[in-house]
Amino acid sequence: MAATCSILPKGQLLYRNAVKLQVARRFSDKGWFQSMFVHEVEARKDAHSNLLSKSETSDLYKIQFHNVKPECLEAYNNLEAEVQHKLHLDQDYPCDVVGSWNTWYGDQDQAVHLWRYTGGYPALTECLTKLNNNKEYLHFRMERSKMLVSRRNQLLLEFSFWNEPTPRNGPNIYEMRSYKLKPGTMIEWGNHWARAIKHRQENNEAVGGFFSQIGDLYEVHHLWAYKDLQSREETRNSAWQKEGWDSSVYYTVPLIRSMESRIMIPTKSSPLQ
């Protein structure tokens, strides 16, 4: 009888062989009946935030999603730019804007802001306390509220293996890919992406990678920069030509509950252009 040839991708073959080996070991070590009911779980030694974030820094990030009334978007952008500029110049506030965008493809009339708090949670608390006693800022919030339909935010930490988000010249478009993961899979996600990210840095497209701490949990945001949509297409396609990228995708896809892609245009005041 002629031998059959496998047409499975390399990554899938590796995964299937690993599963077979794991099952065989379980049966031989404990017997088939016991293996159906007993599952050993390795004890966690630390929180995933400590294992995955940059240990040499204590920066905390906040991302804001503001859905703006369509007729108010230009006025909203001007007002935000004015306030952000003042906070940048005021050294009493340990925070800065990493980037500000309007969504081009995705939720329409949406503004996205990424803030960094140098010093972590104490810096965040200090900023909030000062802003709540700042009459000018309170007036800004009142005016801004008249322009909004809804808003939400999250507090984030930065993956240790991603680039530090730093100002860059444009023009660029930005893609934010947001992944909602299955609870308990963040460490596994980080392990795979620590290897996968090397395939996506040659064209300087990797801007930053973050995972949520407060707000919607087990959510990951990857931020990429491209010259245009055609450049995005070519860069993403080229990753599939690199050995190891296919298996990284294969192993991370089962960890995802849902995902979303936003194409965003920087506002005039954004440090990321």
Side-chain angles (χ1 to χ4, degrees), residues 142-204:
M142 185 180 300
E143 292 300 309
R144 185 185 66 182
S145 67
K146 301 173 184 177
M147 305 178 185
L148 297 181
V149 176
S150 64
R151 61 193 179 103
R152 69 180 180 92
N153 60 21
Q154 287 176 302
L155 293 181
L156 314 169
L157 292 178
E158 183 185 8
F159 282 114
S160 60
F161 47 84
W162 270 77
N163 297 344
E164 188 77 19
T166 56
R168 63 172 67 196
N169 296 324
N172 295 293
I173 63 170
Y174 288 80
E175 180 176 19
M176 179 174 289
R177 297 179 71 87
S178 301
Y179 304 87
K180 292 184 184 294
L181 306 184
K182 297 176 182 178
T185 61
M186 188 66 73
I187 295 293
E188 188 175 356
W189 177 274
N191 287 339
H192 287 302
W193 264 97
R195 294 186 290 271
I197 192 64
K198 65 183 180 181
H199 301 300
R200 296 295 309 277
Q201 293 177 317
E202 292 181 0
N203 295 328
N204 197 33

Side-chain angles (χ1 to χ4, degrees), residues 117-273:
Y117 295 87
T118 304
Y121 289 106
L124 173 66
T125 301
E126 180 184 350
C127 280
L128 291 178
T129 300
K130 289 180 176 179
L131 289 174
N132 285 333
N133 290 285
N134 184 325
K135 291 183 179 180
E136 186 177 9
Y137 182 77
L138 294 177
H139 177 72
F140 152 74
R141 290 193 62 180
M142 185 180 300
E143 292 300 309
R144 185 185 66 182
S145 67
K146 301 173 184 177
M147 305 178 185
L148 297 181
V149 176
S150 64
R151 61 193 179 103
R152 69 180 180 92
N153 60 21
Q154 287 176 302
L155 293 181
L156 314 169
L157 292 178
E158 183 185 8
F159 282 114
S160 60
F161 47 84
W162 270 77
N163 297 344
E164 188 77 19
T166 56
R168 63 172 67 196
N169 296 324
N172 295 293
I173 63 170
Y174 288 80
E175 180 176 19
M176 179 174 289
R177 297 179 71 87
S178 301
Y179 304 87
K180 292 184 184 294
L181 306 184
K182 297 176 182 178
T185 61
M186 188 66 73
I187 295 293
E188 188 175 356
W189 177 274
N191 287 339
H192 287 302
W193 264 97
R195 294 186 290 271
I197 192 64
K198 65 183 180 181
H199 301 300
R200 296 295 309 277
Q201 293 177 317
E202 292 181 0
N203 295 328
N204 197 33
E205 71 266 25
V207 178
F210 312 90
F211 59 98
S212 61
Q213 283 290 282
I214 295 178
D216 291 338
L217 298 179
Y218 283 96
E219 186 164 12
V220 170
H221 301 288
H222 291 175
L223 188 60
W224 310 92
Y226 305 101
K227 291 301 179 185
D228 49 39
L229 288 175
Q230 182 61 36
S231 172
R232 169 188 176 272
E233 180 75 4
E234 293 169 357
T235 300
R236 288 177 55 80
N237 286 341
S238 68
W240 289 97
Q241 309 306 315
K242 301 170 184 174
E243 185 176 359
W245 175 253
D246 56 345
S247 60
S248 296
V249 172
Y250 179 81
Y251 287 122
T252 53
V253 165
L255 310 179
I256 301 171
R257 282 188 162 177
S258 64
M259 58 189 295
E260 180 181 6
S261 170
R262 289 178 178 85
I263 301 297
M264 308 184 301
I265 304 297
T267 62
K268 294 179 181 180
S269 61
S270 176
L272 287 169
Q273 284 296 311

Side-chain angles (χ1 to χ4, degrees), residues 14-200:
L14 291 173
Y15 176 77
R16 180 166 292 183
N17 291 337
V19 171
K20 288 181 179 178
L21 181 59
Q22 183 179 14
V23 172
R25 285 175 175 171
R26 183 176 293 176
F27 275 29
S28 62
D29 291 344
K30 297 184 177 181
W32 70 270
F33 185 80
Q34 185 181 5
S35 69
M36 293 175 64
F37 300 98
V38 179
H39 300 277
E40 292 184 359
V41 178
E42 184 179 352
R44 285 276 297 277
K45 301 298 190 295
D46 206 346
H48 70 245
S49 58
N50 294 332
L51 295 172
L52 293 172
S53 60
K54 285 182 166 65
S55 59
E56 68 273 15
T57 66
S58 57
D59 290 347
L60 179 70
Y61 291 82
K62 179 176 70 175
I63 192 167
Q64 297 174 304
F65 300 97
H66 290 173
N67 294 315
V68 185
K69 296 177 181 178
E71 68 273 15
C72 297
L73 188 58
E74 183 177 357
Y76 168 91
N77 285 337
N78 292 336
L79 186 61
E80 278 285 350
E82 180 183 349
V83 173
Q84 290 174 5
H85 180 69
K86 289 181 178 179
L87 289 177
H88 270 295
L89 295 178
D90 196 333
Q91 298 300 316
D92 286 338
Y93 293 89
C95 65
D96 61 287
V97 179
V98 176
S100 287
W101 303 269
N102 291 144
T103 302
W104 185 18
Y105 288 100
D107 289 337
Q108 297 295 280
D109 305 305
Q110 184 181 70
V112 180
H113 309 289
L114 182 63
W115 293 81
R116 175 170 44 217
Y117 295 87
T118 304
Y121 289 106
L124 173 66
T125 301
E126 180 184 350
C127 280
L128 291 178
T129 300
K130 289 180 176 179
L131 289 174
N132 285 333
N133 290 285
N134 184 325
K135 291 183 179 180
E136 186 177 9
Y137 182 77
L138 294 177
H139 177 72
F140 152 74
R141 290 193 62 180
M142 185 180 300
E143 292 300 309
R144 185 185 66 182
S145 67
K146 301 173 184 177
M147 305 178 185
L148 297 181
V149 176
S150 64
R151 61 193 179 103
R152 69 180 180 92
N153 60 21
Q154 287 176 302
L155 293 181
L156 314 169
L157 292 178
E158 183 185 8
F159 282 114
S160 60
F161 47 84
W162 270 77
N163 297 344
E164 188 77 19
T166 56
R168 63 172 67 196
N169 296 324
N172 295 293
I173 63 170
Y174 288 80
E175 180 176 19
M176 179 174 289
R177 297 179 71 87
S178 301
Y179 304 87
K180 292 184 184 294
L181 306 184
K182 297 176 182 178
T185 61
M186 188 66 73
I187 295 293
E188 188 175 356
W189 177 274
N191 287 339
H192 287 302
W193 264 97
R195 294 186 290 271
I197 192 64
K198 65 183 180 181
H199 301 300
R200 296 295 309 277

